[in-house]
Amino acid sequence: MGVTKDLMVEHINTPQQLGIAIQRLRKQKRMSQAVLAKMMNMRQSTISDIENGRGTLESLFKIIQSLKINLSVSNCALQKTKGRKSKVNELVELLYG
């Protein structure tokens, strides 16, 4: 059975934050923008645009599907902790600070 490494980012509030998360996941798979673009029959600049918070939703979802990323949407009010950082946020900051 293989071991999978998961990166969970709880609070993505901007296109730039989503782009950074996608970039980290792509790099975690040891894949360059050029390789991903070729695999998807896209230009490398399209991948770069998404990772920099620009681009279309269609391109974004193609990248999400190609990288086999699960995207979840939830009500952030239900996930708030009383002024404390969650353990996941602390871990993400330590790893990717």
Side-chain angles (χ1 to χ4, degrees), residues 70-74:
N70 290 323
L71 181 64
S72 298
V73 178
S74 66

Side-chain angles (χ1 to χ4, degrees), residues 11-73:
H11 302 288
I12 295 177
N13 298 315
T14 67
Q16 291 78 14
Q17 290 171 337
L18 181 57
I20 290 167
I22 288 173
Q23 179 184 55
R24 289 177 180 161
L25 289 163
R26 175 183 55 78
K27 287 181 176 183
Q28 184 181 51
K29 294 178 183 281
R30 299 184 189 330
M31 188 180 297
S32 69
Q33 286 182 348
V35 168
L36 179 59
K38 186 174 183 175
M39 186 174 89
M40 297 175 50
N41 198 26
M42 280 185 172
R43 296 181 358 196
Q44 179 272 328
S45 62
T46 301
I47 307 298
S48 178
D49 284 346
I50 293 295
E51 290 182 359
N52 286 291
R54 300 181 304 270
T56 66
L57 282 176
E58 181 180 359
S59 296
L60 171 66
F61 279 97
K62 284 181 181 179
I63 292 170
I64 287 171
Q65 291 168 349
S66 292
L67 292 175
K68 297 180 179 153
I69 296 170
N70 290 323
L71 181 64
S72 298
V73 178

Side-chain angles (χ1 to χ4, degrees), residues 3-9 24-25 28-29 68-70 88 91-92 95-96:
V3 176
T4 59
K5 295 180 183 177
D6 293 330
L7 171 63
M8 184 173 179
V9 180
R24 289 177 180 161
L25 289 163
Q28 184 181 51
K29 294 178 183 281
K68 297 180 179 153
I69 296 170
N70 290 323
V88 173
L91 180 61
V92 168
L95 293 173
Y96 300 103

